[in-house]
Amino acid sequence: MCRWLAYSGSPILLENMIYKPTHSLIDQSLHAKLGVETTNGDGFGVGWYGSARESPAIVREIGPAWSNRNLREIAGHVRSHLFFAHIRASTGSAVQQTNCHPFRHGRWMWMHNGAVTDFHRIRRDLVTAVAPSLFLDIEGSTDSEVMFYLALTFGLEQDPPGAVARMAGLVERVGHEHGIEFPLQMTVAVTDGQSLWAFRYSSQKASRSLFYSTRVETLRSLHPDLDFLREASDDTRLIVSEPLGDLPGVWNEVPESTYGVVHPGGDEMAPFTPR
Amino acid sequence: MCRWLAYSGSPILLENMIYKPTHSLIDQSLHAKLGVETTNGDGFGVGWYGSARESPAIVREIGPAWSNRNLREIAGHVRSHLFFAHIRASTGSAVQQTNCHPFRHGRWMWMHNGAVTDFHRIRRDLVTAVAPSLFLDIEGSTDSEVMFYLALTFGLEQDPPGAVARMAGLVERVGHEHGIEFPLQMTVAVTDGQSLWAFRYSSQKASRSLFYSTRVETLRSLHPDLDFLREASDDTRLIVSEPLGDLPGVWNEVPESTYGVVHPGGDEMAPFTPR
Amino acid sequence: MCRWLAYSGSPILLENMIYKPTHSLIDQSLHAKLGVETTNGDGFGVGWYGSARESPAIVREIGPAWSNRNLREIAGHVRSHLFFAHIRASTGSAVQQTNCHPFRHGRWMWMHNGAVTDFHRIRRDLVTAVAPSLFLDIEGSTDSEVMFYLALTFGLEQDPPGAVARMAGLVERVGHEHGIEFPLQMTVAVTDGQSLWAFRYSSQKASRSLFYSTRVETLRSLHPDLDFLREASDDTRLIVSEPLGDLPGVWNEVPESTYGVVHPGGDEMAPFTPR
Amino acid sequence: MCRWLAYSGSPILLENMIYKPTHSLIDQSLHAKLGVETTNGDGFGVGWYGSARESPAIVREIGPAWSNRNLREIAGHVRSHLFFAHIRASTGSAVQQTNCHPFRHGRWMWMHNGAVTDFHRIRRDLVTAVAPSLFLDIEGSTDSEVMFYLALTFGLEQDPPGAVARMAGLVERVGHEHGIEFPLQMTVAVTDGQSLWAFRYSSQKASRSLFYSTRVETLRSLHPDLDFLREASDDTRLIVSEPLGDLPGVWNEVPESTYGVVHPGGDEMAPFTPR
């Protein structure tokens, strides 16, 4: 199990989302409330775009986020309009930098919470389904990275929801062939630096928690005292594994088997079905 | 807050005490029950004697114990008649190897759970009370290491209980001079490779938990089914921050303001008062 | 021995100075030419200002710079008008984050190449000369950090050259009292985010190498083909332990027992004498 | 490029081979003489057997060996009759624990110096040739680990020289199919805790250096003053990437395209040809 957050909107210091909220991601690294485990101390990562035209920067380390000084420094000095942050609780694979999220390919970033059930049993079948030219770039040993490279194989850069659906479909088919009843459990965030897609799905239809923030204009009327909201652009959105605090009206659950997309000027949600 | 265990007795694989018990130190690194915090993920250390005539080996790392493969390897292959293991939860000082326990000086090892209250305010006064020839060897920035070097300054190698009492007395005097009501909170283990001393004390008389195992011969009659006990020598003892399991009759609380000593052939307890 | 570079001028991506030159700091981490050792693999650090009004960000890690992916990411995505980068070769003190340069205090950054001779013998005398209110903030065990806190004690924030001279004077006096013939060897860079001071001095008058770049307007006429120079402001300066390449006319040695200051709009050099 | 040593013989403290020789493996981590690079600072590993019946312990870390305190501690306190030590210089794959040597499978250990040329281009073909049941256990991203799992696939546990020959043959065939002229460069050590095999081979017939120590009885007559030799059993052997010192008569080069085996009571060499 892991916890993550994805931010898209007015450029802000990363610490505003990673450190400052009451139940920030750093707090979740020690005291997650909705996860399988309360501790997420097996590495972390943060990825941000300087501009929508560049590849993102990705900083990942293998220790816990709560005590990491470099993360504190970066979050306190770097501003971005679109960033991911992830804290990891390993479900067995090695604690190493190449297993930390987010993963990057060109301008794309990917992060995941959940698991491919019995991944070690079907890893070989999944890995060999990755396009040979993409296979070269797999560096770690996680299910999450293989899911990313399968989605890239299936056209992530052209049709994100379609490619993720095909990835999920393959994982379920291969899992079922190996007698695995519920092969996939996932919340996934993926972005190209402009749009941000988030997916909530599990074979068992009992997916890990996922929330999105209410529209900024609604929040402004609910909480006229919050300075932060005055500066946030109307299309600012946050998608998180679990709410960053208890402020009423801020957090909405992403429905089961659903994906959403946030892009400059709008957003939408739609059902998600593996192909 | 931290958790620790000290073992003295028949030579055994370290993993028998560090990994195998139900509520082992590794389990406590994620789920401590009696500590201030449930997570102890800010580094760990293990120190063991190959023989009673040598300096101990000390292996310390800055990541969490629960995911550390090297600790697993060492614990699974090294046997010792006397070893310490410690998992750290930093109360503010840096997560670095020189701040991990146990600390070593010659043949002596020291580890600590607790804190010197407002240590940063009185650190200078305490550090300058360390003998200049010992001052050279202070490497880290913890209160625990300074406590060790003060005890060494006050004659730890000749009279351990007396030296620890003088250290505690100094910490309390200096603390009170700075207006700190309860300057010291400690459970401490210290050894020269032959005898093992353990101290439980706090200025507030509300000390962190500390337990010792029941005599092996008593345990044998209580639990005739436990193979492990058949092989353990009569003078085998374990001292721990919190019990490693729920087996009835195994664990006894060290009383408030008390120290104990375990040595080949016997053990005793006595009141502890700072001087 | 260590290697460092300090940049002040037009805001640029850090990688332009840290990675791209032929004999970049990364190359120097494996193949230093003018240092005592060719390898500088005992940690590194980078510190940069987002604006002249803020505290700098400081990222430090304990592994070698040459293989560090996070440094690569940061250097490729962060722009700054004033930054320090340092690669460390330990002369004995522990390889830990709190011993990596640059050191920071408020808006000030400090880095050092060289050593206090027999530091462990005079550490106690030097450390106790630090102002008690500053003593609290010393975290590591290096001579370099103690030199910084002595300079702060002696008024670094009001009169940098004077404070560094008093620090050097104290180190020499204390060293001589302990029978150390040549107590100090240093090249030091220090900045408040606006001005940048660099010092070259050693008790033996055989100081570690230090170079500064030629004025940009001169370089432009020497190398009209270099695009980079066209974009650099006239007051852009680089100060380095050793030249980053072989381009004729670019590098000038800082004379023995000299300091220089670079500030927006100008720069100057003057003799340096310990007080 | 990397450097390694393999020891088989009378049980000794690891430090006798890893730290004490003039040109020890630790010295080679900074100043290798016969390697492609002088620095081997991208991680290290040590593996040892407590007895010939157990799996070996393997301790691996990602920093340089020269500054690692835990390696110093282990080497100074652990004795073994058969151990491997390896220092890594990455040729591109990530610096992470799962890429450090030695690799282990059951009671077998494997380490490698050299490279599969253009490994990323043929990795997929090689990995898919690994037996599916073994594929599960591949954790890292190095050529060396894949070579080990191919050898296991081809019967390493039954016929080590034959399995390594088939592995080398496959690497060369696949390499040639991809237009790679000289696909393989290797010195490899492998053991089951009783016998020790060492291979020197490269497609180009210009293999990395490999040396073995002279028979102990001959060394005793050459160097009657060396205490160490008096205690060493007659079948004690050391195989190393480069000599650990300049003592005359100690070191013999393993011939090109040759393998040797050392086992209790004897040793032999034979030509090596890929199949």
Side-chain angles (χ1 to χ4, degrees):
Chain A
M1 192 212 64
C2 310
R3 303 279 85 180
W4 57 253
L5 73 76
Y7 175 92
S8 170
S10 312
I12 57 166
L13 279 177
L14 274 50
E15 66 178 9
N16 285 318
M17 292 299 124
I18 299 178
Y19 284 86
K20 292 197 172 167
T22 327
H23 188 50
S24 71
L25 208 66
I26 297 303
D27 187 52
Q28 293 176 34
S29 70
L30 281 166
H31 307 291
K33 292 173 182 171
L34 305 181
V36 175
E37 260 285 6
T38 56
T39 310
N40 294 277
D42 297 328
F44 67 86
V46 62
W48 73 88
Y49 292 85
S51 81
R53 287 180 311 277
E54 291 170 12
S55 281
I58 294 197
V59 169
R60 304 184 291 181
E61 292 204 17
I62 61 176
W66 67 74
S67 61
N68 196 280
R69 295 183 173 198
N70 291 338
L71 178 60
R72 191 78 198 74
E73 294 289 315
I74 290 166
H77 288 83
V78 168
R79 284 170 195 280
S80 175
H81 71 283
L82 202 167
F83 59 90
F84 282 8
H86 186 279
I87 51 176
R88 186 168 179 243
S90 169
T91 51
S93 50
V95 176
Q96 59 192 23
Q97 199 176 26
T98 55
N99 283 352
C100 293
H101 309 223
F103 301 97
R104 174 179 59 196
H105 193 263
R107 285 172 46 204
W108 291 76
M109 281 204 298
W110 172 280
M111 60 183 173
H112 168 230
N113 169 33
V116 172
T117 311
D118 284 343
F119 176 57
H120 67 284
R121 285 174 51 203
I122 62 174
R123 180 180 164 205
R124 189 174 187 278
D125 287 3
L126 296 181
V127 159
T128 50
V130 171
S133 62
L134 290 165
F135 180 91
L136 310 179
D137 296 329
I138 297 181
E139 284 201 303
S141 57
T142 59
D143 48 4
S144 309
E145 189 187 22
V146 173
M147 288 164 64
F148 181 28
Y149 279 89
L150 285 172
L152 285 163
T153 299
F154 297 145
L156 182 69
E157 290 158 296
Q158 288 74 49
D159 169 19
V164 174
R166 277 185 286 272
M167 176 277 290
L170 178 75
V171 171
E172 294 200 323
R173 268 196 309 283
V174 171
H176 291 152
E177 284 164 20
H178 285 74
I180 299 165
E181 189 177 5
F182 301 121
L184 186 58
Q185 171 64 262
M186 73 177 201
T187 67
V188 159
V190 58
T191 180
D192 61 354
Q194 297 189 302
S195 299
L196 161 62
W197 293 262
F199 298 82
R200 185 178 183 216
Y201 177 77
S202 61
S203 307
Q204 198 173 1
K205 310 294 182 279
S207 300
R208 298 281 183 268
S209 59
L210 193 64
F211 294 83
Y212 62 97
S213 61
T214 300
R215 280 170 180 283
V216 167
E217 58 192 325
T218 311
L219 289 177
R220 271 195 212 103
S221 60
L222 276 171
H223 300 284
D225 50 321
L226 292 180
D227 287 351
F228 169 72
L229 293 171
R230 231 162 298 152
E231 292 155 26
S233 64
D234 282 355
D235 56 1
T236 293
R237 288 280 192 180
L238 201 54
I239 306 176
V240 297
S241 293
E242 56 185 76
L244 306 185
D246 298 326
L247 218 53
V250 175
W251 302 105
N252 316 278
E253 195 168 19
V254 175
E256 187 61 62
S257 304
T258 298
Y259 78 92
V261 54
V262 179
H263 46 79
D267 50 67
E268 59 219 61
M269 282 206 294
F272 177 80
T273 315
R275 286 190 209 164
Chain B
M1 193 212 64
C2 310
R3 304 279 87 180
W4 57 254
L5 73 77
Y7 175 92
S8 170
S10 312
I12 56 166
L13 279 179
L14 275 50
E15 68 178 7
N16 284 318
M17 292 299 124
I18 299 178
Y19 283 87
K20 291 197 173 167
T22 326
H23 188 48
S24 70
L25 208 66
I26 298 303
D27 187 52
Q28 294 176 34
S29 70
L30 280 165
H31 306 291
K33 292 173 181 169
L34 305 180
V36 176
E37 259 285 5
T38 55
T39 309
N40 293 276
D42 297 328
F44 67 85
V46 62
W48 72 90
Y49 292 85
S51 81
R53 289 179 311 277
E54 291 169 11
S55 282
I58 295 197
V59 168
R60 304 184 292 181
E61 291 204 18
I62 60 177
W66 68 74
S67 61
N68 195 281
R69 296 183 172 197
N70 290 338
L71 178 59
R72 191 78 198 75
E73 294 289 314
I74 290 166
H77 288 83
V78 168
R79 284 170 195 282
S80 175
H81 70 283
L82 203 168
F83 59 90
F84 282 9
H86 186 279
I87 52 176
R88 186 168 179 244
S90 170
T91 51
S93 49
V95 177
Q96 59 193 21
Q97 199 178 26
T98 57
N99 284 353
C100 292
H101 309 227
F103 300 98
R104 175 177 58 196
H105 193 264
R107 285 172 45 204
W108 291 75
M109 280 205 297
W110 173 280
M111 61 182 173
H112 168 227
N113 170 33
V116 173
T117 311
D118 282 344
F119 176 59
H120 68 284
R121 284 174 54 204
I122 62 172
R123 179 181 164 203
R124 190 173 187 277
D125 286 2
L126 296 180
V127 159
T128 52
V130 171
S133 62
L134 289 165
F135 180 91
L136 311 178
D137 296 330
I138 298 180
E139 284 201 304
S141 57
T142 59
D143 48 4
S144 309
E145 189 188 21
V146 173
M147 289 164 64
F148 181 29
Y149 278 90
L150 286 171
L152 285 163
T153 298
F154 297 145
L156 182 69
E157 288 156 299
Q158 289 74 47
D159 170 18
V164 174
R166 278 185 286 273
M167 176 278 289
L170 178 76
V171 171
E172 293 200 325
R173 270 196 309 285
V174 170
H176 292 151
E177 285 164 20
H178 284 75
I180 298 166
E181 189 177 5
F182 301 122
L184 186 59
Q185 172 64 259
M186 73 176 201
T187 67
V188 160
V190 60
T191 182
D192 61 355
Q194 297 189 301
S195 299
L196 161 62
W197 292 263
F199 299 81
R200 183 177 184 218
Y201 177 76
S202 61
S203 308
Q204 197 174 1
K205 309 293 183 280
S207 300
R208 297 282 182 267
S209 58
L210 192 65
F211 295 83
Y212 62 98
S213 60
T214 300
R215 280 171 181 284
V216 168
E217 57 192 325
T218 311
L219 289 178
R220 272 196 211 100
S221 60
L222 275 172
H223 300 287
D225 49 321
L226 291 182
D227 288 348
F228 170 72
L229 293 171
R230 234 163 295 155
E231 293 155 26
S233 64
D234 281 355
D235 56 1
T236 293
R237 288 278 192 182
L238 200 54
I239 306 176
V240 297
S241 293
E242 57 185 76
L244 306 186
D246 299 325
L247 218 54
V250 175
W251 302 105
N252 316 278
E253 196 167 21
V254 174
E256 187 62 62
S257 302
T258 298
Y259 79 91
V261 55
V262 178
H263 46 80
D267 50 67
E268 58 220 63
M269 281 208 293
F272 178 81
T273 316
R275 289 193 205 162
Chain C
M1 195 212 63
C2 310
R3 303 280 85 181
W4 57 253
L5 73 77
Y7 175 92
S8 170
S10 312
I12 57 166
L13 279 178
L14 275 48
E15 68 179 6
N16 284 317
M17 293 297 124
I18 298 178
Y19 283 86
K20 292 198 174 166
T22 326
H23 188 48
S24 71
L25 208 65
I26 297 304
D27 187 52
Q28 293 176 35
S29 70
L30 280 166
H31 307 291
K33 291 173 183 170
L34 304 180
V36 176
E37 261 284 6
T38 55
T39 309
N40 293 275
D42 298 328
F44 66 86
V46 62
W48 72 89
Y49 292 85
S51 81
R53 288 180 311 277
E54 290 171 12
S55 282
I58 293 198
V59 169
R60 303 184 292 182
E61 293 204 15
I62 61 176
W66 68 74
S67 60
N68 195 281
R69 296 184 173 197
N70 290 338
L71 178 60
R72 191 77 198 76
E73 294 290 314
I74 290 166
H77 287 83
V78 168
R79 283 169 196 281
S80 175
H81 71 283
L82 202 167
F83 59 90
F84 281 9
H86 186 279
I87 51 177
R88 186 168 179 244
S90 169
T91 52
S93 48
V95 177
Q96 59 192 21
Q97 198 176 27
T98 56
N99 283 353
C100 291
H101 308 226
F103 301 98
R104 174 178 59 197
H105 193 263
R107 285 173 45 204
W108 290 75
M109 281 204 298
W110 173 280
M111 63 182 169
H112 168 228
N113 170 32
V116 172
T117 311
D118 283 343
F119 176 59
H120 68 284
R121 285 174 53 204
I122 62 173
R123 181 179 163 204
R124 190 174 188 276
D125 287 2
L126 296 180
V127 159
T128 51
V130 171
S133 61
L134 289 165
F135 181 91
L136 311 179
D137 297 330
I138 297 181
E139 283 201 303
S141 57
T142 59
D143 48 4
S144 309
E145 189 187 23
V146 173
M147 290 164 62
F148 182 28
Y149 279 88
L150 286 171
L152 286 162
T153 299
F154 296 144
L156 182 69
E157 288 158 298
Q158 288 75 47
D159 169 17
V164 174
R166 278 185 286 272
M167 176 276 289
L170 178 76
V171 170
E172 294 200 324
R173 269 196 309 285
V174 170
H176 291 151
E177 285 164 21
H178 284 75
I180 299 166
E181 190 176 6
F182 302 121
L184 185 58
Q185 172 64 260
M186 73 176 202
T187 66
V188 159
V190 58
T191 181
D192 62 355
Q194 298 188 301
S195 299
L196 161 63
W197 292 263
F199 299 82
R200 184 178 183 216
Y201 177 76
S202 61
S203 308
Q204 196 173 3
K205 309 294 182 282
S207 300
R208 299 279 184 270
S209 58
L210 193 65
F211 295 83
Y212 63 96
S213 61
T214 300
R215 281 170 180 283
V216 167
E217 58 191 323
T218 311
L219 289 178
R220 270 195 211 100
S221 61
L222 276 172
H223 301 284
D225 50 320
L226 292 181
D227 287 350
F228 169 72
L229 294 170
R230 233 163 295 155
E231 293 155 27
S233 64
D234 282 355
D235 56 2
T236 294
R237 287 279 192 183
L238 200 54
I239 305 177
V240 297
S241 293
E242 56 184 78
L244 306 185
D246 299 325
L247 218 54
V250 175
W251 302 105
N252 317 277
E253 195 167 21
V254 174
E256 187 62 63
S257 303
T258 297
Y259 79 90
V261 54
V262 178
H263 45 80
D267 50 68
E268 58 218 63
M269 282 207 294
F272 177 80
T273 314
R275 289 191 206 166
Chain D
M1 195 212 61
C2 311
R3 302 279 86 179
W4 56 253
L5 73 76
Y7 175 92
S8 170
S10 312
I12 56 167
L13 280 178
L14 274 49
E15 67 179 7
N16 284 318
M17 293 299 123
I18 299 179
Y19 284 87
K20 292 197 172 168
T22 326
H23 188 49
S24 70
L25 207 67
I26 298 303
D27 187 53
Q28 293 175 34
S29 71
L30 280 166
H31 306 292
K33 291 172 183 170
L34 304 182
V36 176
E37 259 284 7
T38 56
T39 308
N40 294 277
D42 297 329
F44 67 86
V46 61
W48 72 90
Y49 291 85
S51 80
R53 289 180 309 277
E54 290 170 10
S55 281
I58 294 197
V59 168
R60 304 183 292 181
E61 292 204 15
I62 60 177
W66 68 74
S67 61
N68 195 281
R69 295 181 173 200
N70 291 338
L71 178 59
R72 191 78 197 76
E73 295 289 316
I74 290 165
H77 288 82
V78 168
R79 284 171 195 282
S80 175
H81 71 284
L82 203 167
F83 59 89
F84 282 8
H86 186 278
I87 51 177
R88 185 168 179 243
S90 168
T91 51
S93 50
V95 177
Q96 59 192 22
Q97 199 176 26
T98 55
N99 283 353
C100 292
H101 309 222
F103 300 98
R104 176 178 58 196
H105 193 263
R107 286 172 46 205
W108 291 75
M109 282 205 295
W110 172 279
M111 62 183 171
H112 168 229
N113 170 32
V116 172
T117 310
D118 284 344
F119 176 58
H120 67 285
R121 286 173 51 204
I122 62 174
R123 180 181 164 203
R124 190 175 188 278
D125 287 1
L126 296 180
V127 159
T128 50
V130 171
S133 61
L134 289 165
F135 181 91
L136 310 178
D137 296 330
I138 297 180
E139 283 202 305
S141 57
T142 59
D143 47 4
S144 309
E145 190 187 22
V146 173
M147 288 164 64
F148 182 28
Y149 279 89
L150 286 171
L152 285 162
T153 298
F154 296 146
L156 182 69
E157 289 158 296
Q158 289 73 47
D159 169 18
V164 174
R166 277 186 286 274
M167 176 276 290
L170 178 76
V171 170
E172 293 200 324
R173 269 196 308 285
V174 171
H176 291 152
E177 285 164 21
H178 284 75
I180 299 166
E181 189 176 4
F182 302 121
L184 185 59
Q185 171 64 261
M186 75 177 199
T187 67
V188 159
V190 60
T191 181
D192 62 354
Q194 296 189 302
S195 299
L196 161 61
W197 292 262
F199 299 82
R200 185 176 184 218
Y201 177 77
S202 61
S203 308
Q204 198 174 0
K205 309 296 181 278
S207 300
R208 298 282 183 267
S209 58
L210 193 64
F211 295 83
Y212 63 99
S213 61
T214 300
R215 280 171 180 284
V216 168
E217 57 191 325
T218 310
L219 289 178
R220 272 196 210 101
S221 59
L222 276 173
H223 300 286
D225 51 320
L226 291 181
D227 288 350
F228 169 72
L229 293 172
R230 232 162 298 154
E231 293 155 25
S233 63
D234 281 355
D235 56 0
T236 294
R237 288 280 191 180
L238 200 54
I239 305 176
V240 298
S241 294
E242 57 185 76
L244 306 185
D246 298 326
L247 220 52
V250 175
W251 302 104
N252 316 278
E253 195 167 20
V254 174
E256 186 62 61
S257 303
T258 297
Y259 79 91
V261 56
V262 178
H263 46 79
D267 50 66
E268 59 220 61
M269 283 207 293
F272 177 81
T273 315
R275 289 191 208 163

